[in-house]
Amino acid sequence: MSDDYVKVQLEQMKSLGEDGEKKGVDTEEQVPLSSPSSVPPSITIAGRDATNTPITCKQRGKKKDDKNSCGKHISDLSLQGSGDSPHAGKNLNRRGHERTLHIRGTGKILQGKSEANGNYVNIHPSKNTQDSLARKRRPVTVDIVKAKTSLEALKISIKQLKWKEFPLGRRAPCDIYWHGVSFHDNENIVSGQVNKFPGMIEMLRKINLSRAMRTMQELFPDEYDFYPRSWILPEEYQQFSTQIRMVKEKDATVNPTFIVKPDGGSQGDGIYLIRDPSELRVMAGPQAKQAVVQEYIHKPLLIDKLKFDIRLYVLIKSLEPLEIYIAKEGLTRFCTEPYQEPSQKNLTHVFMHLTNYSLNVHSGNFVHSDSQNTGSKRTLSSVLYRLAAKGVDIKRVWSDIIALVIKTVIAVVPELKVYYQADIPPGKPGPTCFQILGFDILMMKNLKPVLLEVNSNPSMRIEHEQEISPGVFEYVPSPVDEEVKVGVIRDTLRLMDPGLKKPSLSQPRAGGFEHGDEIPMEAETQVRSPDEGTLPSLCLKQVYPKYTKQFNFLRLVERTAALFIRFLGVKGNMRLGPTAFRTFIRTCKLSNSNFTMASVDILYIDITRRWSGAVADSREAGMGLQAFVEAFFFLAGRRFKSLVLREQVVSLLELCEAQLESQSSVEDRRSVSCSRALPRTAKTQTHGLTANPQLNSPAPLRRAASQDYRLHQRLKPRTLRANVEN
Ligand code: ADP
């Protein structure tokens, strides 16, 4: 967040705050810092007593069914309102009339959105120039057949960009395919770009995300302390109950609370709170459901005495090189019953403890507001403004959120790369991918952000369902959702514009990804195409590779995954067979008289067997990435006993990578003398190794990562955090 951005946001919010103030509201707010003299307004929740609804799957299901019976379904919807908020800076006011786009009767809303998205660029070509530039360029084509609930926001975005939508598909390939659910929504795409990565849904399921975060917590406990302690059920039930019993025995006054979340659940479905392992539901037998049980954050930051969470939109523009963008504007979702720390009495109060819109919308206290800074769903900037007005250092909060996002993406990228090479193996024609993710973040009372979950398919719906008369529902525009979501989709499209794309940066390249000298340090205005004069500047901010230096040292599992992928051998595979594992050990010279090939086989069998039981949907036999990572950590620990785990892993990675590098140069010399024409990929394959240059860990990346790691060891975490610009 730049200073300018913060300034603009604050100015906007000041006027929004004034807007709220007129409505006359309660000013008490739980923020742990001193209050400034002018306290921003808070909201009044009208009406009835909160319902003490038990948190059960059944009840939610029933409510959903009720709605479905009217031919509608509930999703992440929002409040109503005009969205014609006051203007931000002078420039914005001056240009206000130019920016108003009357699309589907939403002119006012779009005007508001432009304001929230920040400054406008100074380039405003005349209408004639714009028209002639637009004429010269073939419009970008977007296949929207499978867009599902994103359709409305997508259509508005395409129209704003003057691109061409194909609602019924197109015989010729499109530039961009917009899928509503998964990469596989349409199986026949061989070119262009798809807005989903293969494997993202699987990777972000609660259990898989927890596993990936745990691996990172083992390596970097301080860096990954933003993810609550979690256990995977039923497999870790014993560990969970033993650990909790020990904690309670040690200090009888400690009575922690835990939240149980079914794997693959969403919208709060099936979630419940417990205070003792004995309260877990069905932990054994055929009905035992996989779930994550997690430490409950019992001291969240409150506004107007209510718990809330943040929905932040994050774009992964490319996996290799890793490019991450964060939307400067997001949503906040509020509970509808005043918060109290968990007690046996209130554990079942769903409207007090869960911030899901889909649950709270059924509370009598849910507030549909016309304003962005009141009501049960608000913009993130309006909440940040209120915090800033209370004296909170929101630049610091925002830095911490950026760090959380980058670290989380770094945790999931290794496995995503395995999925990617399986679905789009090197040499096979296929599209490139990008994806918008929804990060759910809770602020603790001490202002530390905590990651709750990442949604692979965040709702991009811009209407919400309203009961216009008993039992009759209608979709009405939701200004707050439109404000945020159209900006995110439109600017994602702008970043993915094939006319602006530099293939050498986002595509696999034969020589491997050169880190450092080829990092695309795109300024946000550089992605502007000539016919974008009237569009606001991007609401998406690049955070990676921008902050490579601060975070690159964390990419150790990714380097381990690069080894794994290299030895997978057969294109499209996701698991390593015993022979390939042996080849890995031999090639990297990891066996010796103390660790024979027989021990290698035992290690393989032991770890693979355990993981095949742990991973429910393990269709393929063999060693998956997570099992390989465990084996790799074991080998690192054996070889470098005196070091701490992360240093053990770094040392083993350097050893393996050096072996592979020397092997490759021997190969290079041999093949140069045999045939100058033989391409590098073919040469590598003669060794039975996959040669996806996009996915292997090339020498410069490794060197940069190792150097970053050493540098990081000398820096204090606080310094690093401060280095993340806003
Ligand atoms: P779902 O995908 O079903 O929405 P979440 O993980 O987002 O599941 O959890 C639902 C809600 O429960 C969150 O929006 C948040 O309000 C609350 N919640 C989840 N995890 C925690 C936690 N560890 N501590 C406190 N509250 C939590």
Side-chain angles (χ1 to χ4, degrees):
M1 192 189 280
S2 68
D3 286 354
D4 281 351
Y5 172 68
V6 174
K7 227 159 59 197
V8 170
Q9 296 288 313
L10 288 181
E11 295 224 337
Q12 288 169 12
M13 289 313 126
K14 204 166 150 204
S15 42
L16 289 170
E18 282 155 14
D19 179 26
E21 214 157 35
K22 281 179 211 138
K23 293 184 176 124
V25 281
D26 163 27
T27 52
E28 194 191 326
E29 202 167 289
Q30 186 211 321
V31 176
L33 291 176
S34 61
S35 302
S37 51
S38 74
V39 180
S42 55
I43 58 163
T44 306
I45 304 245
R48 300 176 243 163
D49 286 336
T51 322
N52 296 347
T53 315
I55 309 172
T56 62
C57 184
K58 250 189 189 165
Q59 192 202 12
R60 279 258 315 125
K62 187 169 180 300
K63 281 190 172 157
K64 241 185 192 172
D65 289 342
D66 289 343
K67 300 259 173 180
N68 284 342
S69 65
C70 303
K72 314 272 185 186
H73 60 261
I74 302 165
S75 73
D76 187 10
L77 307 173
S78 183
L79 50 145
Q80 255 187 308
S82 68
D84 52 347
S85 55
H87 294 262
K90 278 182 191 159
N91 283 348
L92 302 184
N93 278 331
R94 218 176 33 240
R95 299 202 188 279
H97 65 283
E98 291 174 30
R99 285 178 279 111
T100 307
L101 294 169
H102 293 277
I103 296 164
R104 305 176 71 85
T106 55
K108 276 182 174 179
I109 294 160
L110 292 174
Q111 189 175 8
K113 163 181 45 41
S114 303
E115 289 155 6
N117 285 342
N119 301 318
Y120 284 78
V121 280
N122 295 326
I123 320 156
H124 276 270
S126 70
K127 195 172 179 316
N128 286 346
T129 325
Q130 277 178 49
D131 288 348
S132 63
L133 285 169
R135 242 179 278 124
K136 273 182 215 148
R137 241 182 121 214
R138 174 182 75 79
V140 179
T141 53
V142 188
D143 183 312
I144 61 170
V145 182
K146 305 279 180 180
K148 301 217 162 133
T149 52
S150 320
L151 193 64
E152 282 308 305
L154 183 61
K155 278 158 119 13
I156 295 174
S157 303
I158 293 172
K159 203 159 179 181
Q160 287 183 19
L161 293 169
K162 303 193 186 91
W163 290 7
K164 205 160 179 249
E165 62 178 45
F166 285 86
L168 302 172
R170 188 185 187 213
R171 209 169 293 160
C174 278
D175 297 310
I176 292 175
Y177 295 82
W178 199 274
H179 288 183
V181 181
S182 107
F183 174 78
H184 296 285
D185 283 356
N186 180 350
E187 297 283 359
N188 305 315
I189 305 167
V190 291
S191 64
Q193 305 178 79
V194 178
N195 72 322
K196 296 280 189 278
F197 280 97
M200 190 68 91
I201 295 178
E202 293 80 353
M203 192 53 227
L204 295 181
R205 282 169 75 99
K206 292 181 170 59
I207 287 184
N208 270 342
L209 179 67
S210 289
R211 285 197 211 281
M213 299 304 282
R214 186 184 298 174
T215 304
M216 297 308 286
Q217 285 173 333
E218 279 172 36
L219 288 169
F220 304 100
D222 296 340
E223 299 289 340
Y224 280 83
D225 64 354
F226 59 85
Y227 189 68
R229 235 171 128 196
S230 306
W231 295 261
I232 290 154
L233 299 176
E235 84 192 56
E236 292 172 357
Y237 171 75
Q238 278 313 329
Q239 279 146 275
F240 171 60
S241 29
T242 311
Q243 282 172 19
I244 304 314
R245 202 183 53 241
M246 278 162 59
V247 167
K248 286 183 177 176
E249 275 170 10
K250 217 167 146 195
D251 183 350
T253 62
V254 176
N255 196 6
T257 305
F258 302 92
I259 182 162
V260 188
K261 313 179 190 182
D263 191 36
S266 65
Q267 302 186 338
D269 266 343
I271 291 185
Y272 59 99
L273 305 187
I274 58 167
R275 306 201 92 187
D276 191 88
S278 62
E279 295 165 30
L280 281 167
R281 299 176 195 160
V282 216
M283 269 305 102
Q287 282 175 310
K289 288 224 174 82
Q290 287 216 305
V292 167
V293 58
Q294 192 170 75
E295 178 192 349
Y296 185 75
I297 306 300
H298 65 287
K299 286 190 190 301
L301 181 68
L302 305 182
I303 289 185
D304 306 334
K305 302 191 179 118
L306 299 171
K307 178 175 170 178
F308 67 96
D309 79 345
I310 297 170
R311 159 58 58 86
L312 198 69
Y313 298 95
V314 171
L315 167 69
I316 300 191
K317 185 170 178 260
S318 130
L319 278 188
E320 191 71 72
L322 183 58
E323 287 185 67
I324 311 169
Y325 287 74
I326 297 185
K328 293 173 189 170
E329 184 60 288
L331 295 170
T332 50
R333 288 93 47 105
F334 281 71
C335 276
T336 44
E337 181 183 340
Y339 185 78
Q340 285 165 16
E341 287 197 19
S343 66
Q344 210 58 47
K345 255 165 75 187
N346 69 30
L347 275 195
T348 55
H349 292 209
V350 66
F351 301 141
M352 176 188 286
H353 292 294
L354 306 189
T355 50
N356 300 78
Y357 164 84
S358 48
L359 296 173
N360 283 282
V361 75
H362 297 294
S363 153
N365 290 341
F366 192 91
V367 178
H368 288 279
S369 168
D370 285 353
S371 166
Q372 297 171 0
N373 65 331
T374 60
S376 300
K377 195 189 265 193
R378 311 179 194 177
T379 56
L380 172 59
S381 52
S382 75
V383 165
L384 288 180
Y385 167 70
R386 289 196 48 177
L387 296 179
K390 287 278 185 189
V392 170
D393 179 358
I394 58 163
K395 281 174 81 175
R396 163 85 178 281
V397 168
W398 188 245
S399 293
D400 287 347
I401 289 177
I402 290 179
L404 174 153
V405 167
I406 296 175
K407 289 172 186 177
T408 305
V409 174
I410 286 176
V412 301
V413 157
E415 192 123 23
L416 279 179
K417 286 187 166 181
V418 176
Y419 279 103
Y420 192 94
Q421 64 81 39
D423 268 292
I424 316 173
K428 184 183 153 191
T432 52
C433 306
F434 62 95
Q435 188 153 355
I436 298 169
L437 304 175
F439 275 64
D440 290 349
I441 295 167
L442 188 72
M443 297 297 300
M444 284 171 48
K445 194 177 170 186
N446 65 5
L447 298 172
K448 187 179 165 54
V450 170
L451 178 72
L452 299 179
E453 70 158 350
V454 188
N455 278 279
S456 60
N457 200 13
S459 164
M460 285 294 169
R461 215 187 250 284
I462 54 171
E463 322 90 12
H464 72 91
E465 201 179 58
Q466 207 176 41
E467 194 166 11
I468 45 167
S469 57
V472 182
F473 292 86
E474 192 181 78
Y475 280 110
V476 294
S478 166
V480 176
D481 285 275
E482 181 157 349
E483 155 90 23
V484 175
K485 294 173 183 176
V486 172
V488 171
I489 291 187
R490 181 198 59 227
D491 291 351
T492 294
L493 290 173
R494 285 162 82 186
L495 283 167
M496 303 317 297
D497 181 344
L500 295 165
K501 209 156 172 243
K502 300 163 203 140
S504 59
L505 296 176
S506 314
Q507 305 290 338
R509 295 185 307 108
F513 155 53
E514 298 293 323
H515 192 72
D517 54 332
E518 290 174 273
I519 290 172
M521 296 302 284
E522 275 171 345
E524 280 154 19
T525 46
Q526 280 175 345
V527 296
R528 192 168 285 275
S529 72
D531 50 350
E532 285 190 7
T534 51
L535 291 172
S537 60
L538 287 176
C539 71
L540 292 164
K541 175 195 166 63
Q542 193 199 72
V543 294
Y544 206 90
K546 189 164 184 182
Y547 302 124
T548 298
K549 277 211 177 82
Q550 290 94 326
F551 298 99
N552 213 34
F553 72 99
L554 298 171
R555 297 173 72 178
L556 296 185
V557 181
E558 203 175 328
R559 286 165 67 191
T560 312
L563 292 175
F564 175 79
I565 290 167
R566 195 165 172 155
F567 285 91
L568 275 176
V570 182
K571 287 177 181 180
N573 243 4
M574 288 187 62
R575 282 165 195 271
L576 215 55
T579 313
F581 189 67
R582 280 173 146 250
T583 310
F584 153 68
I585 298 284
R586 272 213 197 92
T587 315
C588 295
K589 300 199 178 2
L590 299 182
S591 65
N592 53 34
S593 53
N594 285 333
F595 188 61
T596 61
M597 288 315 277
S599 318
V600 170
D601 290 340
I602 291 169
L603 176 69
Y604 177 89
I605 293 166
D606 183 32
I607 291 186
T608 307
R609 193 174 289 160
R610 210 146 27 77
W611 276 92
S612 64
V615 184
D617 56 353
S618 52
R619 283 151 298 207
E620 269 178 55
M623 180 182 259
L625 176 65
Q626 290 164 344
F628 181 79
V629 168
E630 187 185 321
F632 195 83
F633 285 10
F634 170 82
L635 293 167
R638 234 182 152 273
R639 197 159 189 123
F640 303 100
K641 286 195 180 73
S642 60
L643 304 177
V644 296
L645 178 66
R646 79 180 87 163
E647 283 163 4
Q648 292 171 341
V649 172
V650 171
S651 304
L652 191 64
L653 278 168
E654 284 175 350
L655 194 148
C656 294
E657 289 162 352
Q659 288 297 343
L660 291 170
E661 212 167 311
S662 68
Q663 186 104 16
S664 300
S665 38
V666 169
E667 273 309 301
D668 280 352
R669 280 200 297 279
R670 259 192 228 146
S671 55
V672 165
S673 61
C674 295
S675 158
R676 287 184 176 276
L678 195 61
R680 188 184 165 83
T681 48
K683 277 184 279 172
T684 327
Q685 274 162 359
T686 58
H687 269 260
L689 310 176
T690 45
N692 189 340
Q694 187 190 21
L695 301 168
N696 289 341
S697 174
L701 167 62
R702 295 192 308 266
R703 275 194 293 273
S706 290
Q707 281 161 12
D708 287 345
Y709 174 71
R710 284 187 203 107
L711 175 72
H712 174 77
Q713 294 299 84
R714 295 200 295 269
L715 295 172
K716 289 191 184 108
R718 186 44 55 198
T719 324
L720 275 176
R721 210 167 354 215
N723 282 345
V724 180
E725 278 172 38
N726 285 283

